[in-house]
Amino acid sequence: MQYTKAQKMAIEQDKGPFMALAAPGSGKTMVITHRTRYLIEKLGVAPEQILVITFTRAAANEMKGRFEELMGGNRTRVTFGTFHSLFFQILRQEYHYNAANIIREDAKYRYIRELVEQEGLELADETDFIKELIGEISYVKGELLDINHYYSSNCSEEVFRRIYHGYRKRCQGGRLIDFDDMQADCYTLLTKRPQILRQWQQRIAYILIDEFQDINRLQYEIVRMLAKPQDNLFIVGDDDQSIYRFRGARPELMLHFKEDYPSAGQVLLDVNYRSSEDIVEAAKQLIRNNRERYDKEIHASRGKSEPPAILRFQTQKQEHLNIVQKIQELNAKGILYSEMAVLYRTNMQPRMLAERLMQYNIPFCMKDGIFNLYDHFIARNIISYIRLGLGDFSRSNFLSVMNRPNRYISRDLLDEPTVDMERLKQKVAHRDWMVERLENFAGQLSMLRKMSPYAAINFIRKGIGYDEYIRSYCEERHLNEEELFDILEELLEGAKEYASYEQWFAHIKEYGDKLKETKNQEKDRDAVVLSTMHASKGLEYEAVFIVDVCEGVTPHKKAVKDEELEEERRMFYVAMTRAKRYLYLYVVERIFNRTVKPSCYIGELEFDRRQLAPGVKVTHRKYGEGTIVYVDEKRMSIFFPKEEDTRTFHIDYAIGNGFISL
């Protein structure tokens, strides 16, 4: 096989630390597998002394299969695995663990839920709260933080500490460990038991790590210990594709690798074999606006194709119809549905698009689950109100909304499976104000009976006061109320098409059934892929559609700090570089009833660098609602966008009449 100069240098590197920076689609898996063969066949390294680490079991199995195929189908004693499989192997030898000692995810969830229930917290959505808590517990353990100095973003410090300690106690009592314990306990073991560390150092002569940009601090420290004293540590990755900070990934570890290993060799795998030249150039134009990165000059091996298209629409409905049209056109050209992907920032975005694909009989599959709007606690509350209005006074319906907004109804009053309002009023007859509240509640419910779904949702929000409940709920929990009001607006928008509750409920059931059906279908069937940007990493498609490229969506509204904004840009870069030939970026003016601005990424991509004098560098930084423009690192202007999509202004610095279009 013919290697490029950079590939050859990486594959044939001898001893010591080495870093291969890998452009998207540059064949890094090939480099790792061929280097592994080179170590065995040319350098005489025993296969059992080679450890190849990647981040998922699927990736490890795929790499192992590729390597064994390269070796003529022969099984070898090279270890291909994940960090957690390595850590568990080390712990198993010392503590005699087996698979039964690893806590199941459903058991973890159950333990946390029981601890939350013991706290007696009033929660609108228990499922989301528990997921957030599990994430925080993982973060605390993964960073080896002192629990006494950690402040939870989901509940009070006292509550979080009781739940944290309660969970740890339950696990220890059952001799159970989770994935976070594996790395923390392994680090502690190797740090405090030098003889065990020496045993493992003698067993492992060469360590090769794929996707190094996703490594966390603890994993890095363990690998550094195991690699000593030879430091035969070969890492491959792309700092521009580090998008898992929320899981503990630290791209700065890759950025400072040469400081930790001053003698380390380095090479750039600079050829992108996946994407057309137009897509590669656009992606480079975007990512160079990040400051904390290795500067790379990447080239495309494929020629030009269609330039990335920026498509603008007033509404998401128009956006989705255009996506359907483009998919049909590309499919008519011979591109399989499975070679097309629609990418989005969060899994709450594609609900209406999924409905449109169903309407036009376009098959689709989900890389990860699509958020089902009707499963959200807000939708469940609205539906409970309507069912009560229709006469279904089951205890569960009544209980879910009786104090949303607060009517001071005690759940102790509900002692039967079906609520009888007259009997309820009799129970509180000694309190006139409570009787009046119940009568008012009953009157509101009766008004819902003959409304359309759209009118009912509006009445529940404005007439009954559900909007005020959401505002107070968000204020108490320090949540961004905009996100929950988006749920209400989407619910309202979707109900417009249905004249009766019967039609709306039938649609809700049909939609839920189709989502389950789609999720359970074979992954390899010919279907358009719907995926978050996160889940698309490592994949490639002939055509990629990126939806809702707007401020607040991408970059996400929660991204405020510089490192968060840079990660958002890396995520968009990952999404762009999934495309081989066709890339469509969609901008809308309105999301539900809100006016939104085009993403700053659109300005960075539309800027025509041909207007610049040679060598002049222009970058953009977020500044509140606007953008700071830098020319050769000097701040030239602060630009605050108005309602128009495209604006121009002049810079009189080294570029004559050049302009920036934002």
Side-chain angles (χ1 to χ4, degrees), residues 4 30 38 51 59 62 66 83 105 127 144 152 176 201 214-215 309 316 357 405 456 464 469 556 594 597 604 645:
T4 66
M30 182 277 290
Y38 182 84
L51 172 64
E62 181 188 351
R66 298 257 300 261
F83 278 107
E105 286 302 305
T127 301
L144 293 180
S152 170
L176 297 170
Q201 288 171 338
D214 294 332
I215 201 167
Q316 288 177 299
L357 294 173
I464 294 180
Y469 161 72
H556 196 273
R594 285 188 295 111
K597 299 181 177 74
E604 294 168 7
D645 281 340

Side-chain angles (χ1 to χ4, degrees), residues 347-501:
N347 67 357
M348 293 176 66
Q349 289 173 254
R351 186 195 68 81
M352 290 191 294
L353 173 61
E355 288 191 359
R356 202 63 65 192
L357 294 173
M358 290 175 188
Q359 180 185 343
Y360 284 85
N361 294 315
I362 293 176
F364 67 91
C365 63
M366 296 169 287
K367 187 72 178 67
D368 38 14
I370 288 182
F371 164 74
N372 187 342
L373 174 74
Y374 306 111
D375 287 341
H376 195 278
F377 83 87
I378 286 178
R380 295 200 305 268
N381 286 173
I382 296 294
I383 291 169
S384 288
Y385 262 116
I386 291 172
R387 292 199 183 282
L388 287 167
L390 293 172
D392 180 359
F393 274 80
S394 63
R395 186 176 185 274
S396 58
N397 274 337
F398 195 86
L399 193 61
S400 68
V401 297
M402 67 182 188
N403 286 318
R404 296 178 183 177
N406 202 346
R407 299 178 180 89
Y408 301 98
I409 303 172
S410 169
R411 63 189 301 141
D412 295 337
L413 296 172
L414 311 181
D415 52 6
E416 294 183 357
T418 301
V419 176
D420 184 326
M421 288 293 275
E422 291 303 318
R423 188 164 176 270
L424 199 57
K425 282 191 281 185
Q426 290 172 10
K427 289 182 179 181
V428 296
H430 59 291
R431 286 178 284 179
D432 292 345
W433 62 272
M434 181 58 80
V435 173
E436 184 180 344
R437 284 177 187 270
L438 288 172
E439 287 177 344
N440 184 45
F441 188 23
Q444 290 170 338
L445 294 176
S446 67
M447 292 174 70
L448 289 169
R449 188 169 297 123
K450 294 183 180 179
M451 291 183 181
S452 69
Y454 182 81
I457 295 170
N458 258 325
F459 179 69
I460 293 165
R461 292 181 62 182
K462 312 297 183 186
I464 294 180
Y466 192 79
D467 277 9
E468 285 306 312
Y469 161 72
I470 291 297
R471 287 192 183 93
S472 61
Y473 176 82
C474 291
E475 187 177 349
E476 288 171 15
R477 290 157 181 78
H478 309 292
L479 301 175
N480 184 342
E481 66 178 45
E482 190 177 278
E483 292 181 12
L484 295 189
F485 277 109
D486 279 352
I487 298 290
L488 281 163
E489 291 295 338
E490 186 172 356
L491 202 61
L492 189 66
E493 185 72 21
K496 272 183 182 177
E497 300 178 25
Y498 304 95
S500 69
Y501 295 134

Side-chain angles (χ1 to χ4, degrees), residues 543-584:
V544 167
F545 306 82
I546 306 180
V547 299
D548 304 334
V549 187
C550 306
E551 289 294 310
V553 179
T554 181
H556 196 273
K557 60 189 137 194
K558 288 184 178 178
V560 177
K561 299 176 183 176
D562 286 346
E563 61 266 26
E564 294 169 340
L565 288 166
E566 295 221 340
E567 176 141 326
E568 290 289 314
R569 187 176 282 103
R570 291 195 295 268
M571 205 179 313
F572 198 74
Y573 174 78
V574 165
M576 289 178 67
T577 53
R578 299 311 93 198
K580 295 180 183 178
R581 292 165 58 196
Y582 302 97
L583 176 61
Y584 302 98

Side-chain angles (χ1 to χ4, degrees), residues 7 36 57 109 152 237 256 285 333 375-376 382 447 557 570 576 606 610 618 637:
Q7 289 171 340
T36 305
R57 186 183 302 174
Y109 185 92
S152 170
H256 299 305
Q285 184 162 308
K333 288 182 180 179
D375 287 341
H376 195 278
I382 296 294
M447 292 174 70
K557 60 189 137 194
R570 291 195 295 268
M576 289 178 67
E606 286 188 328
R610 291 171 299 178
V618 174
S637 182

